[in-house]
């Protein structure tokens, strides 16, 4: 049976789409079982519906507090038989209760090469810092925002005339490769988390990262 994914979104949902697209291959070992959004107008909801995937909108203000909101999310994920929760542009911080309920079964994609540039506006900050490389990270979620064991990273070069938008587009293209790869590694049972490090069985370690040519 394929690993069942619960994807949490707040907006566009292009990373959700990358996971949906990957799962159209019957050989891909995971499938999106449920998409939960905290925003009713998130464009990603339409992507899920178009693919025939169950969606759920849970607005925080419809609940007494954060604990109640998260309890509803946990109940929905459990009853959908979800084995891995993927944050894909989910713009709310998760509490320690949620993080421990899904410990090591909860991953996030972040648009920088962590631990550089946690938080928002990563592309602006990478350009302002004069970074020559930028990229994205798929990591296991821990309570502190944008921390946790790193599973997959992809690097792209920063060119002198990059704008935040041009750099974001180059990184996003890599996000759409990195997230399905990370999920596949987990679904194939090849990933072990130990402390702050992740070991991937049967992976070839390249001698160098070859950045795509612009
Ligand atoms: C992505 O850049 C992701 O890395 C970050 O939020 C953005 C979500 O984009 N966490 P999308 O909704 O997947 O298109």
């Amino acid at each position: 049976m394929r690993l069942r994914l619960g994807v949490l979104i707040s907006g566009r949902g292009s990373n959700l789409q990358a996971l949906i697209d990957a799962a159209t291959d019957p050989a891909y070992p995971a499938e999106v079982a449920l998409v939960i959004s905290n925003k009713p107008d998130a464009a990603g909801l339409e992507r899920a519906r178009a693919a025939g995937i169950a969606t759920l909108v849970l607005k925080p203000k419809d609940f007494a507090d954060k604990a109640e909101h998260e309890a509803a999310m946990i109940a929905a994920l459990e009853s959908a038989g979800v084995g891995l929760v993927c944050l894909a542009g989910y713009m709310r911080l998760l509490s320690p209760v949620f993080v421990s309920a899904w410990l090591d079964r909860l991953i996030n994609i972040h648009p920088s090469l962590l631990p550089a540039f946690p938080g928002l506006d990563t592309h602006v900050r990478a350009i302002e810092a004069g970074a020559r490389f930028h990229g994205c990270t798929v990591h296991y979620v821990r309570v502190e925002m944008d921390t946790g064991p790193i599973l997959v990273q992809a690097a792209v070069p920063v060119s002198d005339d990059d704008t935040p938008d041009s750099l974001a587009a180059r990184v996003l293209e890599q996000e759409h490769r990195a997230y399905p790869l990370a999920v596949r590694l987990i679904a194939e049972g090849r990933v072990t988390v130990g402390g702050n490090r992740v070991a991937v069985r049967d992976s070839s370690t390249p001698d160098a990262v070859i950045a795509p040519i612009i």
Side-chain angles (χ1 to χ4, degrees), residues 2-3 16 46 57 64 76 113 137 161 165 178 190 202:
R2 304 211 283 179
L3 177 65
L16 163 66
E46 211 36 64
V57 175
L113 294 172
T137 303
D161 54 4
D165 283 351
R190 293 164 57 188
D202 306 325

Side-chain angles (χ1 to χ4, degrees), residues 66-78:
K66 192 180 182 82
E68 297 280 316
H69 178 244
E70 289 188 345
M73 289 205 289
I74 290 171
L77 292 164
E78 280 173 354

Side-chain angles (χ1 to χ4, degrees), residues 116-133:
F117 312 121
L120 298 174
D121 301 323
T122 55
H123 309 302
V124 176
R125 289 157 61 207
I127 289 172
E128 281 174 357
R132 286 299 184 190
F133 284 91

